[in-house]
């Protein structure tokens, strides 16, 4: 069975500091990986995705994630965070389950950026 | 941009009531999903639909049903609301019948309180 583990439920960090949000997945088949962000009182928005090819994927707002097959990880990083990055971040894996393509989500990591 | 609209942002209902949550998407997507989001548990799939009049149970279907009479609309029904169904409900849509790499697009959510 596929599963996603986000190792930190909360990550406090100061503005302009680097941050890493950790995500590990388990799957016996090829997967597609996603990071979603949820700002307060909003739905989830796609941040970035890994489908194939280069193992490093980037978003338009400075986040990047690296697919590591041997470690079954897809950690999210940003070299310098802003107050506006305060949000909850969800890692998700897409795979065929019972003949249907579903997303399996981690429990989420709440990123709090402090001035 | 894809627009997924949930009919209510906040809803308060009483135990035993029949509750309808409505979701509409404007991009002619084949797939639609209902999740509930609870702190520390991430998103859990309640029901999904790959086509009109088609529905499949997700991971936690008990106490819920769905309706998809038109392609753009997917309704979640709480047959007899209970306090343990107090939660944030998120609707999502996705292009493609079984497209593994396509992202899901989310509405802003309905925060439902059952008193």
């Amino acid at each position: 069975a596929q599963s996603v583990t986000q190792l930190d439920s909360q990550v406090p960090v100061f503005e302009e500091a680097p941050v890493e949000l950790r995500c590990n997945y388990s799957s016996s088949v090829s997967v597609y990986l996603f990071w979603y962000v949820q700002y307060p009182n909003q739905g989830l928005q796609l941040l970035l995705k890994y489908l194939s090819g280069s193992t490093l994927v980037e978003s338009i707002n400075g986040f990047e994630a690296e697919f590591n097959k041997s470690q079954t990880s897809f950690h999210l990083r940003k070299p310098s965070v802003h107050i506006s990055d305060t949000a909850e971040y969800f890692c998700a894996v897409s795979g065929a389950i019972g003949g249907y393509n579903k997303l399996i989500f981690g429990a989420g990591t709440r990123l709090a950026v402090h001035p | 941009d894809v627009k997924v609209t949930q009919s209510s942002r906040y809803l308060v209902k009483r135990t035993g009531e029949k509750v309808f949550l409505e979701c509409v998407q404007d991009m002619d997507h084949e797939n639609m999903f209902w999740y509930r989001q609870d702190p520390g548990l991430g998103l859990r799939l309640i029901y999904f639909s790959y086509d009109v009049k088609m529905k499949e149970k997700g991971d936690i279907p008990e106490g819920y049903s769905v309706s998809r009479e038109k392609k753009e609309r997917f309704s979640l029904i709480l047959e007899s609301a209970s306090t343990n169904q107090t939660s944030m409900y998120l609707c999502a849509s996705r292009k493609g019948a079984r497209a593994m790499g396509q992202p899901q697009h989310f509405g802003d959510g309905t925060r439902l309180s059952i008193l």
Side-chain angles (χ1 to χ4, degrees):
Chain A
Q2 293 169 325
S3 66
V4 177
T5 302
Q6 291 184 244
L7 296 157
D8 306 293
S9 60
Q10 295 186 60
V11 173
V13 65
F14 287 110
E15 194 174 18
E16 298 184 4
V19 70
E20 178 180 80
L21 307 183
R22 296 179 292 169
C23 173
N24 286 92
Y25 69 93
S26 66
S27 176
S28 59
V29 297
S30 297
V31 296
Y32 300 96
L33 295 158
F34 303 82
W35 275 100
Y36 284 84
V37 58
Q38 185 179 34
Y39 298 105
N41 298 315
Q42 294 186 23
L44 274 69
Q45 302 174 30
L46 180 67
L47 191 59
L48 46 76
K49 62 182 178 181
Y50 171 78
L51 303 182
S52 64
S54 173
T55 58
L56 187 66
V57 290
E58 298 177 352
S59 72
I60 57 173
N61 57 355
F63 282 95
E64 63 180 29
E66 186 165 17
F67 170 59
N68 187 320
K69 188 174 182 179
S70 63
Q71 296 186 8
T72 60
S73 67
F74 191 54
H75 300 333
L76 182 69
R77 302 184 182 95
K78 189 170 184 179
S80 176
V81 293
H82 302 290
I83 296 287
S84 59
D85 293 324
T86 293
E88 189 153 22
Y89 293 79
F90 292 93
C91 181
V93 60
S94 175
I97 303 171
Y100 294 99
N101 175 21
K102 300 181 187 179
L103 269 183
I104 307 299
F105 287 89
T109 297
R110 191 171 297 276
L111 175 64
V113 182
H114 300 280
Chain B
D1 278 354
V2 177
K3 184 68 174 177
V4 179
T5 303
Q6 295 184 230
S7 54
S8 304
R9 294 297 304 275
Y10 301 93
L11 207 53
V12 181
K13 297 291 182 181
R14 295 196 179 277
T15 304
E17 280 192 72
K18 190 169 186 176
V19 181
F20 294 85
L21 302 183
E22 305 287 346
C23 175
V24 176
Q25 50 94 3
D26 66 356
M27 285 301 292
D28 201 37
H29 283 175
E30 290 84 0
N31 309 160
M32 296 189 75
F33 305 82
W34 275 107
Y35 296 89
R36 64 176 282 174
Q37 181 182 8
D38 299 288
L41 297 178
L43 277 72
R44 292 179 292 169
L45 182 63
I46 304 171
Y47 267 96
F48 60 101
S49 169
Y50 274 86
D51 205 347
V52 178
K53 297 189 185 295
M54 174 273 182
K55 59 185 178 184
E56 290 289 334
K57 292 180 180 179
D59 300 317
I60 51 166
E62 296 78 18
Y64 303 95
S65 63
V66 290
S67 172
R68 193 164 181 205
E69 295 297 317
K70 295 184 178 181
K71 192 174 185 180
E72 68 271 19
R73 186 180 297 271
F74 192 35
S75 303
L76 179 69
I77 304 156
L78 284 66
E79 297 292 344
S80 178
S82 64
T83 55
N84 63 12
Q85 292 178 309
T86 291
S87 186
M88 169 72 92
Y89 290 87
L90 291 166
C91 175
S93 73
R94 182 182 63 199
K95 178 184 174 67
R98 285 179 170 78
M100 295 276 285
Q102 292 288 337
Q104 293 185 16
H105 301 267
F106 286 82
D108 283 338
T110 296
R111 191 167 292 280
L112 175 65
S113 297
I114 307 296
L115 305 179

